[in-house]
Amino acid sequence: MSPRKRPLVPVSSRRKAADDVFPFHFLPVECQLHVLSFLNEVDKCSCALVSLSWSRLVRSWKLWRVADYSRRGVFHLGQEGLLVSNREFERWKAWVHHYTHHLISRRASLLTLKASFDLGDHCNQWGELLSHLLDNVHCRDLSHLDLNWTFTLLEPLDLRVHPSSSSHQDSITKMDQVISFQNLLTKLTQSCPRVSRMRLHFDWSDTSVSLLAQFQQLRVLELKYFWVFKGVTPSTLHTLTKALPNLRSLTLHVLVPLRNLGISYTLESQSLEFLDVSPSRGLVFSRLKLPALRELRAKKIVRGITLDRKTRLRIQHRWPCLYNVLREGTPKLQALNNERLLPTWRERSYRELSAILEQSCYCVQHLDSWLW
């Protein structure tokens, strides 16, 4: 059977179809770049293969504004602790280095940096890789930083039992991570002073707090806990929030160690409008001075420890009721734990807010307590 022949199309019809195609190449270069900016990185690279003119367009630094190492390249999505093979991890490492070289060769002008690397890994030297990137791209306008410096994506889990492992060795590893993090944070303060949105794990050391306070343009900040045994002193937390004059939103993941039970904290900020401490454990406020605060999220989390009644009451008696703290220090508060507050909530007894406060207040009046 002979193959089916394609029907002949009149020349006039073909010319008409060609005329219906939008003349992309007639647009000004800035308009062409704007259109291409909506593509993801893989599609941009595909566009570079269309023609020489498109290849030149895609090489423009204006199209490379995001460095996202958390994409895992072309690999499957996964979670922390995902079991992967050494071969797959080596493929991912090769992609990371190729991606870094690609951004540098394009002279990228970064607005966003997202990464998850164990900076204490001396073998793979992830800290040096990020420093090399910052040294060779334009990052003066970087505004969004999302950094997990405690964990490397797609790294194979070491399931072997090491007889030499100990808490002392863990402490040394943590200190290596902190030192590398502080070195990277120092470089960021020098290279990226305009960061306005930041999400990262934090060790709450005096050096790290001092470095973080140099980002005076910060508006949105989320600090996750670094190590469960690392406490946060009240003065450190108070100093940090007071040192950031443009901070609008703050989310804290603070785990107060058991040895610090009974400690309460103060916060002071003239600009803070949103505060979320619901991911924290044992974080109790004795005083808030937040004249601009409009929304607060706080959650009382069961600690799973056992204390006798006398000890528990002695600890809880140290803390004021959250209602009194909010009434005195948050004159513009409008929402608590996603519940809209009436404008007259300050004139009413706290019992009218008891359903909300039972979820967030640690004081002695709320004895469905967190300590059992």
Short mmCIF file of all heavy atoms in Angstrom, two decimals, residues 193-198 212-221 239-250 268-274 292:
data_model
loop_
_atom_site.label_atom_id
_atom_site.label_comp_id
_atom_site.label_asym_id
_atom_site.label_seq_id
_atom_site.Cartn_x
_atom_site.Cartn_y
_atom_site.Cartn_z
N PRO A 193 24.01 43.75 50.84
CA PRO A 193 23.47 44.54 51.96
C PRO A 193 21.98 44.85 51.84
O PRO A 193 21.39 45.35 52.80
CB PRO A 193 24.30 45.83 51.88
CG PRO A 193 24.65 45.97 50.44
CD PRO A 193 24.83 44.56 49.93
N ARG A 194 21.37 44.54 50.69
CA ARG A 194 19.97 44.93 50.48
C ARG A 194 18.98 43.78 50.68
O ARG A 194 17.83 43.87 50.24
CB ARG A 194 19.81 45.50 49.07
CG ARG A 194 20.67 46.74 48.82
CD ARG A 194 20.63 47.16 47.38
NE ARG A 194 21.54 48.27 47.12
CZ ARG A 194 21.82 48.75 45.91
NH1 ARG A 194 21.26 48.19 44.84
NH2 ARG A 194 22.67 49.75 45.76
N VAL A 195 19.42 42.72 51.31
CA VAL A 195 18.52 41.59 51.55
C VAL A 195 17.34 42.07 52.41
O VAL A 195 17.54 42.64 53.48
CB VAL A 195 19.25 40.44 52.25
CG1 VAL A 195 18.26 39.32 52.60
CG2 VAL A 195 20.36 39.90 51.37
N SER A 196 16.13 41.81 51.92
CA SER A 196 14.93 42.24 52.64
C SER A 196 14.09 41.08 53.14
O SER A 196 13.20 41.26 53.97
CB SER A 196 14.06 43.13 51.74
OG SER A 196 13.65 42.42 50.59
N ARG A 197 14.37 39.89 52.63
CA ARG A 197 13.61 38.70 53.04
C ARG A 197 14.61 37.57 53.29
O ARG A 197 15.38 37.21 52.41
CB ARG A 197 12.63 38.31 51.94
CG ARG A 197 11.69 37.17 52.30
CD ARG A 197 10.78 36.81 51.13
NE ARG A 197 9.80 35.82 51.50
CZ ARG A 197 8.58 36.08 51.93
NH1 ARG A 197 8.20 37.35 52.02
NH2 ARG A 197 7.74 35.13 52.25
N MET A 198 14.55 36.99 54.50
CA MET A 198 15.55 35.99 54.87
C MET A 198 14.89 34.86 55.65
O MET A 198 14.07 35.09 56.54
CB MET A 198 16.65 36.65 55.71
CG MET A 198 17.85 35.75 55.99
SD MET A 198 19.14 36.60 56.96
CE MET A 198 19.69 37.84 55.78
N LEU A 212 23.83 39.42 61.70
CA LEU A 212 22.46 39.52 61.18
C LEU A 212 21.90 40.93 61.36
O LEU A 212 21.13 41.41 60.52
CB LEU A 212 21.57 38.50 61.89
CG LEU A 212 20.14 38.36 61.37
CD1 LEU A 212 20.12 37.96 59.90
CD2 LEU A 212 19.37 37.34 62.20
N ALA A 213 22.28 41.59 62.43
CA ALA A 213 21.79 42.94 62.70
C ALA A 213 22.29 43.96 61.67
O ALA A 213 21.75 45.07 61.60
CB ALA A 213 22.19 43.37 64.10
N GLN A 214 23.28 43.58 60.86
CA GLN A 214 23.79 44.51 59.86
C GLN A 214 22.89 44.58 58.62
O GLN A 214 23.05 45.48 57.80
CB GLN A 214 25.20 44.09 59.44
CG GLN A 214 26.22 44.17 60.57
CD GLN A 214 27.62 43.81 60.11
OE1 GLN A 214 28.02 44.09 58.98
NE2 GLN A 214 28.39 43.16 61.00
N PHE A 215 21.95 43.66 58.48
CA PHE A 215 21.02 43.70 57.35
C PHE A 215 19.87 44.65 57.70
O PHE A 215 18.78 44.23 58.07
CB PHE A 215 20.50 42.30 57.04
CG PHE A 215 21.54 41.36 56.51
CD1 PHE A 215 22.22 40.50 57.36
CD2 PHE A 215 21.86 41.34 55.16
CE1 PHE A 215 23.18 39.63 56.88
CE2 PHE A 215 22.83 40.48 54.66
CZ PHE A 215 23.49 39.62 55.53
N GLN A 216 20.14 45.92 57.55
CA GLN A 216 19.19 46.94 57.98
C GLN A 216 17.96 47.05 57.09
O GLN A 216 16.98 47.71 57.47
CB GLN A 216 19.90 48.30 58.05
CG GLN A 216 20.97 48.38 59.12
CD GLN A 216 20.38 48.38 60.52
OE1 GLN A 216 19.77 49.36 60.95
NE2 GLN A 216 20.54 47.28 61.23
N GLN A 217 17.97 46.41 55.92
CA GLN A 217 16.82 46.46 55.03
C GLN A 217 15.86 45.28 55.25
O GLN A 217 14.86 45.17 54.53
CB GLN A 217 17.29 46.47 53.57
CG GLN A 217 18.22 47.62 53.21
CD GLN A 217 17.57 48.97 53.46
OE1 GLN A 217 16.40 49.18 53.15
NE2 GLN A 217 18.34 49.89 54.02
N LEU A 218 16.15 44.43 56.20
CA LEU A 218 15.32 43.25 56.43
C LEU A 218 13.89 43.65 56.78
O LEU A 218 13.65 44.45 57.69
CB LEU A 218 15.90 42.40 57.55
CG LEU A 218 16.85 41.27 57.16
CD1 LEU A 218 17.37 40.56 58.40
CD2 LEU A 218 16.19 40.28 56.22
N ARG A 219 12.93 43.03 56.07
CA ARG A 219 11.52 43.26 56.33
C ARG A 219 10.81 41.96 56.77
O ARG A 219 9.87 42.01 57.55
CB ARG A 219 10.83 43.83 55.09
CG ARG A 219 11.35 45.19 54.66
CD ARG A 219 10.71 45.63 53.35
NE ARG A 219 9.27 45.78 53.49
CZ ARG A 219 8.67 46.89 53.89
NH1 ARG A 219 9.39 47.96 54.21
NH2 ARG A 219 7.35 46.95 53.97
N VAL A 220 11.25 40.84 56.23
CA VAL A 220 10.66 39.54 56.57
C VAL A 220 11.79 38.62 57.02
O VAL A 220 12.75 38.41 56.28
CB VAL A 220 9.91 38.93 55.37
CG1 VAL A 220 9.34 37.57 55.74
CG2 VAL A 220 8.82 39.87 54.87
N LEU A 221 11.66 38.05 58.22
CA LEU A 221 12.72 37.22 58.78
C LEU A 221 12.11 35.98 59.43
O LEU A 221 11.17 36.07 60.22
CB LEU A 221 13.52 38.01 59.82
CG LEU A 221 14.65 37.27 60.55
CD1 LEU A 221 15.71 36.80 59.58
CD2 LEU A 221 15.26 38.18 61.63
N THR A 239 17.91 42.14 71.79
CA THR A 239 18.87 42.95 71.04
C THR A 239 18.65 42.84 69.54
O THR A 239 18.69 43.84 68.81
CB THR A 239 20.31 42.50 71.38
OG1 THR A 239 20.54 42.69 72.77
CG2 THR A 239 21.33 43.31 70.58
N LEU A 240 18.39 41.63 69.06
CA LEU A 240 18.22 41.44 67.61
C LEU A 240 17.00 42.17 67.08
O LEU A 240 17.07 42.89 66.08
CB LEU A 240 18.12 39.95 67.30
CG LEU A 240 17.90 39.60 65.83
CD1 LEU A 240 19.09 40.08 64.98
CD2 LEU A 240 17.69 38.11 65.65
N THR A 241 15.86 42.00 67.72
CA THR A 241 14.64 42.64 67.22
C THR A 241 14.72 44.16 67.30
O THR A 241 14.19 44.86 66.43
CB THR A 241 13.42 42.16 68.01
OG1 THR A 241 13.63 42.37 69.41
CG2 THR A 241 13.18 40.68 67.76
N LYS A 242 15.40 44.66 68.28
CA LYS A 242 15.53 46.11 68.43
C LYS A 242 16.49 46.70 67.40
O LYS A 242 16.39 47.88 67.04
CB LYS A 242 16.02 46.43 69.85
CG LYS A 242 15.91 47.89 70.22
CD LYS A 242 16.30 48.10 71.68
CE LYS A 242 16.18 49.58 72.06
NZ LYS A 242 16.55 49.79 73.49
N ALA A 243 17.41 45.87 66.88
CA ALA A 243 18.44 46.37 65.96
C ALA A 243 17.99 46.40 64.51
O ALA A 243 18.73 46.90 63.66
CB ALA A 243 19.69 45.51 66.08
N LEU A 244 16.80 45.87 64.20
CA LEU A 244 16.33 45.82 62.81
C LEU A 244 15.18 46.82 62.64
O LEU A 244 14.02 46.49 62.92
CB LEU A 244 15.89 44.40 62.45
CG LEU A 244 16.98 43.34 62.54
CD1 LEU A 244 16.39 41.94 62.34
CD2 LEU A 244 18.08 43.61 61.53
N PRO A 245 15.46 48.02 62.17
CA PRO A 245 14.44 49.09 62.18
C PRO A 245 13.32 48.92 61.16
O PRO A 245 12.27 49.55 61.31
CB PRO A 245 15.27 50.34 61.87
CG PRO A 245 16.44 49.85 61.07
CD PRO A 245 16.75 48.49 61.64
N ASN A 246 13.52 48.09 60.12
CA ASN A 246 12.51 47.95 59.07
C ASN A 246 11.79 46.61 59.11
O ASN A 246 11.04 46.28 58.19
CB ASN A 246 13.16 48.14 57.69
CG ASN A 246 13.70 49.54 57.50
OD1 ASN A 246 12.97 50.51 57.57
ND2 ASN A 246 15.01 49.65 57.27
N LEU A 247 12.00 45.84 60.16
CA LEU A 247 11.41 44.50 60.24
C LEU A 247 9.90 44.58 60.37
O LEU A 247 9.37 45.25 61.26
CB LEU A 247 12.01 43.74 61.43
CG LEU A 247 11.71 42.25 61.50
CD1 LEU A 247 12.30 41.54 60.29
CD2 LEU A 247 12.27 41.66 62.79
N ARG A 248 9.20 43.88 59.45
CA ARG A 248 7.73 43.86 59.46
C ARG A 248 7.16 42.51 59.91
O ARG A 248 6.11 42.46 60.53
CB ARG A 248 7.19 44.19 58.06
CG ARG A 248 7.56 45.56 57.55
CD ARG A 248 6.83 46.66 58.29
NE ARG A 248 7.08 47.97 57.70
CZ ARG A 248 8.09 48.77 58.02
NH1 ARG A 248 8.96 48.37 58.95
NH2 ARG A 248 8.24 49.94 57.45
N SER A 249 7.85 41.43 59.56
CA SER A 249 7.35 40.09 59.85
C SER A 249 8.47 39.26 60.46
O SER A 249 9.57 39.22 59.92
CB SER A 249 6.82 39.43 58.56
OG SER A 249 6.47 38.09 58.79
N LEU A 250 8.17 38.56 61.56
CA LEU A 250 9.16 37.75 62.25
C LEU A 250 8.53 36.41 62.64
O LEU A 250 7.48 36.36 63.27
CB LEU A 250 9.67 38.46 63.50
CG LEU A 250 10.65 37.68 64.39
CD1 LEU A 250 11.94 37.36 63.64
CD2 LEU A 250 10.96 38.46 65.67
N GLU A 268 11.09 43.99 71.61
CA GLU A 268 10.86 45.41 71.37
C GLU A 268 11.16 45.74 69.91
O GLU A 268 12.23 45.43 69.40
CB GLU A 268 11.73 46.28 72.28
CG GLU A 268 11.53 47.77 72.08
CD GLU A 268 12.34 48.61 73.04
OE1 GLU A 268 12.90 48.03 74.00
OE2 GLU A 268 12.42 49.83 72.84
N SER A 269 10.18 46.31 69.23
CA SER A 269 10.35 46.71 67.84
C SER A 269 9.30 47.76 67.50
O SER A 269 8.12 47.58 67.81
CB SER A 269 10.21 45.51 66.90
OG SER A 269 10.21 45.94 65.54
N GLN A 270 9.73 48.83 66.87
CA GLN A 270 8.81 49.89 66.48
C GLN A 270 8.11 49.60 65.16
O GLN A 270 7.11 50.23 64.85
CB GLN A 270 9.57 51.22 66.37
CG GLN A 270 10.19 51.68 67.66
CD GLN A 270 9.16 51.95 68.75
OE1 GLN A 270 8.13 52.56 68.49
NE2 GLN A 270 9.45 51.49 69.96
N SER A 271 8.61 48.64 64.39
CA SER A 271 8.08 48.41 63.04
C SER A 271 7.36 47.07 62.87
O SER A 271 6.63 46.89 61.90
CB SER A 271 9.23 48.48 62.02
OG SER A 271 10.22 47.50 62.30
N LEU A 272 7.54 46.13 63.79
CA LEU A 272 7.04 44.77 63.62
C LEU A 272 5.51 44.75 63.59
O LEU A 272 4.85 45.25 64.51
CB LEU A 272 7.54 43.88 64.75
CG LEU A 272 7.37 42.37 64.55
CD1 LEU A 272 8.18 41.90 63.36
CD2 LEU A 272 7.78 41.61 65.81
N GLU A 273 4.96 44.14 62.52
CA GLU A 273 3.51 44.06 62.35
C GLU A 273 2.97 42.63 62.47
O GLU A 273 1.79 42.44 62.75
CB GLU A 273 3.11 44.63 60.98
CG GLU A 273 3.46 46.09 60.81
CD GLU A 273 3.13 46.61 59.43
OE1 GLU A 273 2.68 45.80 58.59
OE2 GLU A 273 3.31 47.82 59.18
N PHE A 274 3.82 41.63 62.23
CA PHE A 274 3.40 40.23 62.29
C PHE A 274 4.43 39.43 63.07
O PHE A 274 5.63 39.50 62.78
CB PHE A 274 3.24 39.67 60.87
CG PHE A 274 2.96 38.19 60.84
CD1 PHE A 274 1.68 37.71 61.04
CD2 PHE A 274 3.98 37.28 60.61
CE1 PHE A 274 1.41 36.34 61.01
CE2 PHE A 274 3.73 35.92 60.58
CZ PHE A 274 2.44 35.45 60.77
N ALA A 292 3.36 48.56 66.66
CA ALA A 292 2.80 48.39 65.32
C ALA A 292 2.24 46.99 65.09
O ALA A 292 1.69 46.73 64.01
CB ALA A 292 3.86 48.71 64.27
#
